[in-house]
Amino acid sequence: MSANDTQVILPGATLGVLGGGQLGRMFAHAAQAMGYFTAVLDPDATSPAGRVSHHHVRTGYEDPKGLAELAQQCAAVTTEFENVPAGSLIQLAERLPVSPAGAAVAIAQDRAAEKAHFVKCGVPCAPYAVIETAEQLAAVNDALLPGILKTARMGYDGKGQIRVKTRDKLVAGWNELGQVACVLEKMLPLAHECSVIVARGRDGTIVHLPVQRNLHRDGILAVTEVYEGNLPAAQAEQAVAAAKSVAIGLDYVGVLCVEFFVLDNGQLVVNEIAPRPHNSGHYSQNALDVSQFELQVRCMTNLPLVQPRQHSATVMLNLLGDLWFKHGDSPQTPAWEQILALPGAHLHLYGKVDAKRARKMGHLNITAATPEQARATALKAADILGIPAF
């Protein structure tokens, strides 16, 4: 670690982000609110983050000239999606502070390496096997079936996954995925899912957001509920401790989300990590005194990390492009005026040009004094929008 890595970067400097999606957009908004300038590297001229930043470097993520331009403009750089080339982060780190580090992102990009890290940290995960060859496929233990076959790389929001109940289905599934490196995870009896977002500084200081209880539909996060009692206290404490262990084991700097399965017997098993702010932490914009995006800024600038405090019970609804197609094939803007008439409704749209089915277009945070009020209002909002009840 160089002296530059530990120096405080004060407002007025320019902060860079690899990736121009909605997470980069919300990072830029948080950084700008704190007095920083922002720069985005993304090839898309209409990227959500690029459209709101002071600088937009429109090149590919591995373009040497683009990376050099970003490094020249910025005092520090972060990333907003996990599939950014880790090598680009490593290359940038030769010139300026980068968080998270390329080595940590590389682990998050490979399910096999990710699982090995969980085992190393002593954090329980589902029984699994790595399948890279036909010989490894043939050697899979029958005890892992039924299971979920996942590509080792480039999988997110349920993509690159196939449920397999029998050995024949496993072979067919591996062929369907192109015989690429995969991880087979044993299917476990799930009660629900949860996640923990931690932020860790270069000095080892670590803070966390409250534990988030999550509902996924078709592999995409649909609802997050955060309030006291959303999980049993002992279970929540275990999740926070496990998430911190994962971050410390990576020597991680930045914001990290750790996702968990909660089994029918109450046991927690870690599912995966995301080396960035996360969809399940979007509620923090309106229910906490420090959002996950402000924590991202604080981590990369070496500003003090303070433990976020929750002031409102909250429910977050993910807004997918399907909501624009409730009345046919022509997109129609949802009834935002009805939504914004609800008490505690906070609408966040990402500035994406075209609505597409299954595309994340925004989110809605509902805050209230009690969990019951937050849920009741969120269910009204879901009914207005045509989102299934939860």
Side-chain angles (χ1 to χ4, degrees), residues 192 210-214 224-232 235-236:
H192 53 85
V211 179
Q212 296 118 197
R213 178 168 176 150
N214 303 321
T224 293
E225 299 179 76
V226 189
Y227 43 75
E228 188 173 353
N230 62 345
L231 269 73
Q235 203 173 75

Side-chain angles (χ1 to χ4, degrees), residues 106-117:
I107 290 175
Q109 290 174 343
D110 188 312
R111 291 188 190 277
E114 188 180 57
K115 296 288 187 187
H117 179 70

